[in-house]
Amino acid sequence: FAQAFKLHTKDVNCLELNSELGLLLSGGDDCDIGIVKLSSMTVLPSLKCPVGVLSLAMDHTRIIAGCEDSHLRIWDFCVDEKHYMDKDAWQAIACMMEESRNRA
C-alpha cells in the first residue's frame, strides 16, 4: 500500500531520497522543504526558503536547495572545521526534532 503525506500547500517540484540516512526530502512552490523519516514514516519539521524550491541535494552534512530566484541555499550541519555531524548525529537530531514536535 502507499503511504500519503501532506507536506506542501502548493505543487511539489522535486524529491531527494537519501537511503543511507533514511530521509526523503521534497521541495515545492510553497517555499518549504519537507522531510520524512522513512524508518518511522514520520514527518519532521520543514526547512523554510524565501522562494519556491526547484531542486534538492543532500549528503551527510548539508542540504542544498536550488530556488526560483536562481540562488542555491545551503543548510550546513557542520559544527566546525574539525567536527561534523555524521549519519548517526543527523539521525539523533532528527529524532529530537520529532520528539519535540510530538510534545507540542
Side-chain angles (χ1 to χ4, degrees):
F1 73 94
Q3 180 96 19
F5 294 97
K6 179 72 173 171
L7 301 176
H8 296 276
T9 58
K10 295 185 179 178
D11 290 342
V12 174
N13 297 324
C14 54
L15 297 170
E16 173 72 11
L17 174 65
N18 187 312
S19 56
E20 191 173 337
L21 295 177
L23 296 174
L24 173 65
L25 306 179
S26 60
D29 286 340
D30 59 0
C31 309
D32 283 351
I33 297 173
I35 306 171
V36 175
K37 183 179 175 186
L38 296 173
S39 62
S40 60
M41 300 302 266
T42 303
V43 176
L44 300 177
S46 297
L47 299 174
K48 305 292 183 191
C49 285
V51 296
V53 179
L54 301 176
S55 62
L56 290 167
M58 77 179 297
D59 64 13
H60 283 85
T61 63
R62 291 172 294 269
I63 295 174
I64 303 168
C67 299
E68 289 177 343
D69 61 359
S70 302
H71 286 82
L72 295 176
R73 289 182 169 78
I74 302 172
W75 287 264
D76 194 341
F77 300 100
C78 288
V79 177
D80 60 33
E81 292 178 5
K82 296 180 183 176
H83 302 93
Y84 63 92
M85 294 182 186
D86 63 6
K87 176 180 83 168
D88 295 332
W90 171 249
Q91 288 176 337
I93 287 175
C95 287
M96 287 187 290
M97 291 168 56
E98 179 181 339
E99 290 170 8
S100 173
R101 184 174 181 197
N102 290 338
R103 281 188 234 128

